[in-house]
Amino acid sequence: MPLLFIEVGNCTEGAVLIAAKFDKYARFFKRKEKDTDGIEKPLWRTRWSAPDPEQYERVHPPVLLVFHQVGKRSTKSQKQRVADLTRRHDRQGRWPREGGFHPYDGRIPIVATTLDLLRERARPGPLSGASAVTTASRCWT
């Protein structure tokens, strides 16, 4: 199963606080440590499996943001504000010309949805990391 970080919020935290978490993710993804083979690698690659670093050296695991409307802030405005504040960590508006993929060279893939949409559109049964990202991608509103 691919690595996926998940942040779930009840719309009680401000967008600035949520966006600041991505500064921490970026610092974490840049940390390096020697692996058991004695070769220095990104720390997260020493803890979790990932695609071959020869081909995907600068790819970071995605972060799934799930907003649940409990607090006073609306999920729609929270998603938009967080998207605006985290643009430097995400793909920065670069869209593919062909091939159906987004280039994330040194960026953090960020996918956001609401808990209601995730429940509504997810396949029945346990939600794996890959199916969560696929489902959340369909849920982006």
Side-chain angles (χ1 to χ4, degrees):
M1 174 195 307
L3 178 61
L4 170 71
F5 290 94
I6 300 174
E7 291 282 340
V8 180
N10 289 326
C11 296
T12 56
E13 291 181 325
V16 172
L17 183 61
I18 295 168
K21 292 178 183 185
F22 288 91
D23 295 331
K24 293 176 185 178
Y25 276 110
R27 283 193 307 273
F28 174 70
F29 291 145
K30 287 179 183 176
R31 274 185 71 189
K32 297 208 178 227
E33 183 176 280
K34 286 188 180 179
D35 202 354
T36 55
D37 59 6
I39 298 172
E40 191 172 84
K41 298 176 183 168
L43 175 67
W44 69 269
R45 286 186 181 273
T46 68
R47 305 293 188 261
W48 297 285
S49 62
D52 178 14
E54 294 291 321
Q55 298 173 355
Y56 302 99
E57 186 60 37
R58 296 175 47 95
V59 173
H60 299 311
V63 177
L64 173 63
L65 285 172
V66 181
F67 294 97
H68 182 51
Q69 184 68 57
V70 173
K72 61 184 177 182
R73 296 172 176 92
S74 81
T75 56
K76 185 175 181 177
S77 65
Q78 279 288 85
K79 283 193 304 184
Q80 185 57 55
R81 182 81 173 114
V82 170
D84 292 343
L85 292 168
T86 59
R87 198 152 322 277
R88 70 182 180 279
H89 294 303
D90 197 16
R91 63 184 165 267
Q92 294 198 3
R94 296 177 296 161
W95 295 97
R97 291 180 182 253
E98 56 187 59
F101 68 93
H102 299 288
Y104 288 99
D105 186 30
R107 306 276 183 229
I108 303 168
I110 301 170
V111 180
T113 189
T114 65
L115 185 58
D116 291 338
L117 285 173
L118 199 56
R119 282 183 184 147
E120 176 186 313
R121 299 182 185 174
R123 288 184 235 140
L127 192 61
S128 72
S131 64
V133 169
T134 301
T135 300
S137 296
R138 291 191 311 257
C139 298
W140 182 264
T141 56

